[in-house]
Amino acid sequence: MGDILDKAVALIRCKECPWYKSCLIPMEVGAEDMGQLRLMMQGANFPEQLGADLDKFIESIASTSQNMILQSCPVFTQRLKESPKLAQRIKEIMQNWGKEEEDSG
């Protein structure tokens, strides 16, 4: 009985979640985030000659983070932590992504 209740609670939590059906999304770095990072970096008292380089550096950080970091739904994250088998299945799917197309083509 406990398993059924746990599954029902997980389903309800998922459907009530603002991330519903968007468990993973690429991290987005907006203009406000860039401004905050600039303010933080300016507080570090870098030499003035680094001013232009600092903007390039900040843009590079933003671009890299958008390409490498995913935000995940808290329910999805909890499910992965509780189920190593689920995490392993997802890992295998990602490792084999596109192989079916290559094999049939």
Side-chain angles (χ1 to χ4, degrees):
M1 184 75 169
D3 289 343
I4 294 171
L5 289 176
D6 290 342
K7 288 180 182 180
V9 168
L11 181 63
I12 291 168
R13 282 183 61 207
C14 191
K15 286 191 175 183
E16 289 177 351
C17 179
W19 290 71
Y20 185 57
K21 298 210 179 201
S22 299
C23 297
L24 292 173
I25 57 172
M27 184 175 147
E28 293 183 29
V29 179
E32 184 178 316
D33 299 317
M34 297 276 285
Q36 287 178 351
L37 189 53
R38 278 190 187 95
L39 286 173
M40 288 172 32
M41 298 295 272
Q42 287 172 352
N45 293 326
F46 290 116
E48 287 182 31
Q49 63 195 29
L50 291 178
D53 292 335
L54 185 60
D55 279 343
K56 289 179 187 173
F57 178 68
I58 291 171
E59 288 175 16
S60 174
I61 290 173
S63 175
T64 300
S65 66
Q66 287 182 175
N67 290 330
M68 295 181 67
I69 300 173
L70 292 174
Q71 295 175 328
S72 67
C73 144
V75 174
F76 181 71
T77 302
Q78 187 63 37
R79 288 179 180 172
L80 286 177
K81 287 178 181 177
E82 292 172 352
S83 177
K85 289 181 182 179
L86 174 60
Q88 183 62 35
R89 281 179 41 207
I90 292 171
K91 180 179 177 180
E92 289 169 4
I93 289 169
M94 294 303 295
Q95 289 174 337
N96 295 316
W97 194 280
K99 285 186 179 179
E100 295 168 0
E101 294 171 7
E102 291 173 7
D103 294 340
S104 64

